[in-house]
Amino acid sequence: MTPVFAHGSLRLYLLSLLADQPRHGYELIQALSDRFGGTYIPSAGTIYPRLAKLEEEGLVTKSTDGRKTVYEITDAGRAELQARQGDLHDLETEVADSVRRLADEVRSGVSAAMRSLRLDLASAKRQAGDARSARKAGTTAGTAAGNAARTAAGAAAGAAAGAAAGARA
């Protein structure tokens, strides 16, 4: 699968998301997942180290809200974001292209799976039809053989009864 973010781009994108509103790590992961239509979901091991680096550089601050750590962009972070608006625009274009590529890969995989499923279903249908034909032929042959056996058994029984009657007479 193609990489989603070029080197350093996730950092800029996180600043952009935090410029909209303060968020905790899971909200950032969800925002990225939503932005990519669920085709890219960064791990906590990807997000939190970048947030720590942004904090170390003074571009974000973190505060604790109960059990959650909330990250907020600083004035220095806003200044960097403003200075890199061109990069951010290019990043948005890259993200849109990446989403399109990922969607195409998913669509292609689904199409291939559907073709395979259709072939499997057609094969199963043929096999089921062959099995029904064999059972039907077997039932017809079995019925004829059963009738013949009963007729032969009946004749033998009749002959034995006739012989027994002749022996008594």
PDB file of all heavy atoms in Angstrom, residues 2 13 18-19 29 34 38 50 68 74 82 88 98 120 127 139 146-147 168:
ATOM      1  N   THR A   2       0.475   2.258  -0.680  1.00  0.00           N
ATOM      2  CA  THR A   2       1.227   3.497  -0.807  1.00  0.00           C
ATOM      3  C   THR A   2       1.257   4.238   0.523  1.00  0.00           C
ATOM      4  O   THR A   2       0.262   4.258   1.241  1.00  0.00           O
ATOM      5  CB  THR A   2       0.541   4.424  -1.835  1.00  0.00           C
ATOM      6  OG1 THR A   2      -0.349   3.688  -2.613  1.00  0.00           O
ATOM      7  CG2 THR A   2       1.526   5.129  -2.697  1.00  0.00           C
ATOM      8  N   TYR A  13      -0.112  18.288   9.504  1.00  0.00           N
ATOM      9  CA  TYR A  13      -1.539  17.988   9.504  1.00  0.00           C
ATOM     10  C   TYR A  13      -2.092  17.968  10.927  1.00  0.00           C
ATOM     11  O   TYR A  13      -3.210  18.418  11.177  1.00  0.00           O
ATOM     12  CB  TYR A  13      -1.800  16.655   8.795  1.00  0.00           C
ATOM     13  CG  TYR A  13      -3.176  16.579   8.198  1.00  0.00           C
ATOM     14  CD1 TYR A  13      -3.481  17.265   7.031  1.00  0.00           C
ATOM     15  CD2 TYR A  13      -4.188  15.855   8.815  1.00  0.00           C
ATOM     16  CE1 TYR A  13      -4.750  17.220   6.478  1.00  0.00           C
ATOM     17  CE2 TYR A  13      -5.458  15.802   8.276  1.00  0.00           C
ATOM     18  CZ  TYR A  13      -5.728  16.480   7.109  1.00  0.00           C
ATOM     19  OH  TYR A  13      -6.982  16.455   6.579  1.00  0.00           O
ATOM     20  N   LEU A  18      -5.349  20.603  15.180  1.00  0.00           N
ATOM     21  CA  LEU A  18      -5.396  21.253  16.492  1.00  0.00           C
ATOM     22  C   LEU A  18      -5.740  22.740  16.378  1.00  0.00           C
ATOM     23  O   LEU A  18      -6.227  23.334  17.334  1.00  0.00           O
ATOM     24  CB  LEU A  18      -4.071  21.055  17.235  1.00  0.00           C
ATOM     25  CG  LEU A  18      -3.816  19.616  17.694  1.00  0.00           C
ATOM     26  CD1 LEU A  18      -2.394  19.455  18.220  1.00  0.00           C
ATOM     27  CD2 LEU A  18      -4.848  19.194  18.735  1.00  0.00           C
ATOM     28  N   ALA A  19      -5.515  23.320  15.216  1.00  0.00           N
ATOM     29  CA  ALA A  19      -5.894  24.725  15.015  1.00  0.00           C
ATOM     30  C   ALA A  19      -7.416  24.852  14.997  1.00  0.00           C
ATOM     31  O   ALA A  19      -7.953  25.900  15.374  1.00  0.00           O
ATOM     32  CB  ALA A  19      -5.299  25.252  13.708  1.00  0.00           C
ATOM     33  N   ILE A  29      -6.786  10.728  16.152  1.00  0.00           N
ATOM     34  CA  ILE A  29      -6.803   9.476  15.381  1.00  0.00           C
ATOM     35  C   ILE A  29      -8.133   9.353  14.637  1.00  0.00           C
ATOM     36  O   ILE A  29      -8.167   9.029  13.449  1.00  0.00           O
ATOM     37  CB  ILE A  29      -6.556   8.261  16.310  1.00  0.00           C
ATOM     38  CG1 ILE A  29      -5.108   8.267  16.805  1.00  0.00           C
ATOM     39  CG2 ILE A  29      -6.890   6.947  15.594  1.00  0.00           C
ATOM     40  CD1 ILE A  29      -4.809   7.266  17.911  1.00  0.00           C
ATOM     41  N   ASP A  34     -11.514   9.666   9.838  1.00  0.00           N
ATOM     42  CA  ASP A  34     -12.667  10.258   9.143  1.00  0.00           C
ATOM     43  C   ASP A  34     -12.227  10.946   7.854  1.00  0.00           C
ATOM     44  O   ASP A  34     -12.883  10.827   6.823  1.00  0.00           O
ATOM     45  CB  ASP A  34     -13.391  11.266  10.035  1.00  0.00           C
ATOM     46  CG  ASP A  34     -14.102  10.607  11.209  1.00  0.00           C
ATOM     47  OD1 ASP A  34     -14.245   9.360  11.211  1.00  0.00           O
ATOM     48  OD2 ASP A  34     -14.486  11.342  12.143  1.00  0.00           O
ATOM     49  N   GLY A  38     -11.838   6.121   6.604  1.00  0.00           N
ATOM     50  CA  GLY A  38     -11.588   4.830   7.233  1.00  0.00           C
ATOM     51  C   GLY A  38     -10.517   3.997   6.541  1.00  0.00           C
ATOM     52  O   GLY A  38     -10.199   2.901   6.993  1.00  0.00           O
ATOM     53  N   ARG A  50       4.605  12.001  17.828  1.00  0.00           N
ATOM     54  CA  ARG A  50       4.607  13.269  17.081  1.00  0.00           C
ATOM     55  C   ARG A  50       4.045  14.405  17.941  1.00  0.00           C
ATOM     56  O   ARG A  50       4.528  15.529  17.884  1.00  0.00           O
ATOM     57  CB  ARG A  50       3.852  13.111  15.778  1.00  0.00           C
ATOM     58  CG  ARG A  50       4.728  12.401  14.760  1.00  0.00           C
ATOM     59  CD  ARG A  50       4.035  12.061  13.495  1.00  0.00           C
ATOM     60  NE  ARG A  50       4.889  11.387  12.551  1.00  0.00           N
ATOM     61  CZ  ARG A  50       5.282  10.117  12.631  1.00  0.00           C
ATOM     62  NH1 ARG A  50       4.943   9.381  13.657  1.00  0.00           N
ATOM     63  NH2 ARG A  50       6.035   9.576  11.694  1.00  0.00           N
ATOM     64  N   LYS A  68      -7.962  12.015  30.391  1.00  0.00           N
ATOM     65  CA  LYS A  68      -7.554  12.330  29.026  1.00  0.00           C
ATOM     66  C   LYS A  68      -6.531  13.460  29.015  1.00  0.00           C
ATOM     67  O   LYS A  68      -6.620  14.398  29.797  1.00  0.00           O
ATOM     68  CB  LYS A  68      -8.763  12.749  28.191  1.00  0.00           C
ATOM     69  CG  LYS A  68      -9.780  11.657  28.004  1.00  0.00           C
ATOM     70  CD  LYS A  68     -10.957  12.154  27.217  1.00  0.00           C
ATOM     71  CE  LYS A  68     -12.020  11.083  27.121  1.00  0.00           C
ATOM     72  NZ  LYS A  68     -13.219  11.569  26.461  1.00  0.00           N
ATOM     73  N   THR A  74      -0.340  26.169  20.176  1.00  0.00           N
ATOM     74  CA  THR A  74       0.117  27.412  20.806  1.00  0.00           C
ATOM     75  C   THR A  74       0.198  28.517  19.748  1.00  0.00           C
ATOM     76  O   THR A  74       0.009  28.259  18.557  1.00  0.00           O
ATOM     77  CB  THR A  74       1.531  27.213  21.416  1.00  0.00           C
ATOM     78  OG1 THR A  74       2.441  26.902  20.354  1.00  0.00           O
ATOM     79  CG2 THR A  74       1.540  26.106  22.462  1.00  0.00           C
ATOM     80  N   GLN A  82       0.619  29.196   9.837  1.00  0.00           N
ATOM     81  CA  GLN A  82       0.395  30.330   8.935  1.00  0.00           C
ATOM     82  C   GLN A  82       1.535  30.443   7.932  1.00  0.00           C
ATOM     83  O   GLN A  82       1.302  30.651   6.735  1.00  0.00           O
ATOM     84  CB  GLN A  82       0.247  31.630   9.743  1.00  0.00           C
ATOM     85  CG  GLN A  82      -0.079  32.827   8.904  1.00  0.00           C
ATOM     86  CD  GLN A  82      -1.424  32.702   8.179  1.00  0.00           C
ATOM     87  OE1 GLN A  82      -2.380  32.148   8.711  1.00  0.00           O
ATOM     88  NE2 GLN A  82      -1.478  33.200   6.964  1.00  0.00           N
ATOM     89  N   LEU A  88       0.597  23.368   3.530  1.00  0.00           N
ATOM     90  CA  LEU A  88      -0.649  22.756   3.985  1.00  0.00           C
ATOM     91  C   LEU A  88      -1.597  22.530   2.802  1.00  0.00           C
ATOM     92  O   LEU A  88      -2.236  21.476   2.702  1.00  0.00           O
ATOM     93  CB  LEU A  88      -1.314  23.612   5.057  1.00  0.00           C
ATOM     94  CG  LEU A  88      -2.569  23.017   5.700  1.00  0.00           C
ATOM     95  CD1 LEU A  88      -2.277  21.676   6.360  1.00  0.00           C
ATOM     96  CD2 LEU A  88      -3.143  23.996   6.715  1.00  0.00           C
ATOM     97  N   SER A  98      -4.184  10.706  -2.110  1.00  0.00           N
ATOM     98  CA  SER A  98      -3.935   9.464  -1.378  1.00  0.00           C
ATOM     99  C   SER A  98      -5.241   8.732  -1.087  1.00  0.00           C
ATOM    100  O   SER A  98      -5.333   7.514  -1.239  1.00  0.00           O
ATOM    101  CB  SER A  98      -3.193   9.781  -0.076  1.00  0.00           C
ATOM    102  OG  SER A  98      -2.886   8.598   0.607  1.00  0.00           O
ATOM    103  N   ASP A 120     -17.251 -18.883  -8.005  1.00  0.00           N
ATOM    104  CA  ASP A 120     -17.477 -19.934  -7.004  1.00  0.00           C
ATOM    105  C   ASP A 120     -18.957 -20.292  -6.906  1.00  0.00           C
ATOM    106  O   ASP A 120     -19.316 -21.469  -6.804  1.00  0.00           O
ATOM    107  CB  ASP A 120     -16.964 -19.496  -5.627  1.00  0.00           C
ATOM    108  CG  ASP A 120     -15.447 -19.436  -5.550  1.00  0.00           C
ATOM    109  OD1 ASP A 120     -14.780 -19.956  -6.479  1.00  0.00           O
ATOM    110  OD2 ASP A 120     -14.934 -18.859  -4.572  1.00  0.00           O
ATOM    111  N   GLN A 127     -22.504 -27.827  -9.597  1.00  0.00           N
ATOM    112  CA  GLN A 127     -22.303 -29.047  -8.807  1.00  0.00           C
ATOM    113  C   GLN A 127     -23.596 -29.485  -8.136  1.00  0.00           C
ATOM    114  O   GLN A 127     -23.902 -30.678  -8.086  1.00  0.00           O
ATOM    115  CB  GLN A 127     -21.208 -28.832  -7.765  1.00  0.00           C
ATOM    116  CG  GLN A 127     -19.833 -28.734  -8.372  1.00  0.00           C
ATOM    117  CD  GLN A 127     -18.778 -28.383  -7.342  1.00  0.00           C
ATOM    118  OE1 GLN A 127     -19.075 -28.157  -6.180  1.00  0.00           O
ATOM    119  NE2 GLN A 127     -17.527 -28.328  -7.785  1.00  0.00           N
ATOM    120  N   THR A 139     -32.433 -42.601  -8.033  1.00  0.00           N
ATOM    121  CA  THR A 139     -33.748 -42.933  -7.481  1.00  0.00           C
ATOM    122  C   THR A 139     -34.555 -43.691  -8.511  1.00  0.00           C
ATOM    123  O   THR A 139     -35.170 -44.712  -8.202  1.00  0.00           O
ATOM    124  CB  THR A 139     -34.495 -41.646  -7.063  1.00  0.00           C
ATOM    125  OG1 THR A 139     -33.713 -40.970  -6.102  1.00  0.00           O
ATOM    126  CG2 THR A 139     -35.854 -41.959  -6.496  1.00  0.00           C
ATOM    127  N   GLY A 146     -35.628 -52.079  -7.437  1.00  0.00           N
ATOM    128  CA  GLY A 146     -36.449 -52.535  -6.304  1.00  0.00           C
ATOM    129  C   GLY A 146     -37.702 -53.249  -6.787  1.00  0.00           C
ATOM    130  O   GLY A 146     -38.084 -54.289  -6.256  1.00  0.00           O
ATOM    131  N   ASN A 147     -38.338 -52.682  -7.803  1.00  0.00           N
ATOM    132  CA  ASN A 147     -39.536 -53.317  -8.370  1.00  0.00           C
ATOM    133  C   ASN A 147     -39.198 -54.674  -8.957  1.00  0.00           C
ATOM    134  O   ASN A 147     -39.939 -55.648  -8.765  1.00  0.00           O
ATOM    135  CB  ASN A 147     -40.177 -52.420  -9.434  1.00  0.00           C
ATOM    136  CG  ASN A 147     -40.845 -51.192  -8.816  1.00  0.00           C
ATOM    137  OD1 ASN A 147     -41.128 -51.182  -7.609  1.00  0.00           O
ATOM    138  ND2 ASN A 147     -41.084 -50.177  -9.629  1.00  0.00           N
ATOM    139  N   ARG A 168     -48.252 -81.438  -0.772  1.00  0.00           N
ATOM    140  CA  ARG A 168     -49.283 -81.842   0.201  1.00  0.00           C
ATOM    141  C   ARG A 168     -50.343 -82.646  -0.523  1.00  0.00           C
ATOM    142  O   ARG A 168     -50.971 -83.488   0.071  1.00  0.00           O
ATOM    143  CB  ARG A 168     -49.932 -80.596   0.825  1.00  0.00           C
ATOM    144  CG  ARG A 168     -49.133 -80.053   1.981  1.00  0.00           C
ATOM    145  CD  ARG A 168     -49.883 -78.937   2.606  1.00  0.00           C
ATOM    146  NE  ARG A 168     -49.936 -77.854   1.628  1.00  0.00           N
ATOM    147  CZ  ARG A 168     -49.764 -76.583   1.849  1.00  0.00           C
ATOM    148  NH1 ARG A 168     -49.630 -76.166   3.050  1.00  0.00           N
ATOM    149  NH2 ARG A 168     -49.770 -75.706   0.925  1.00  0.00           N
TER     150      ARG A 168
END
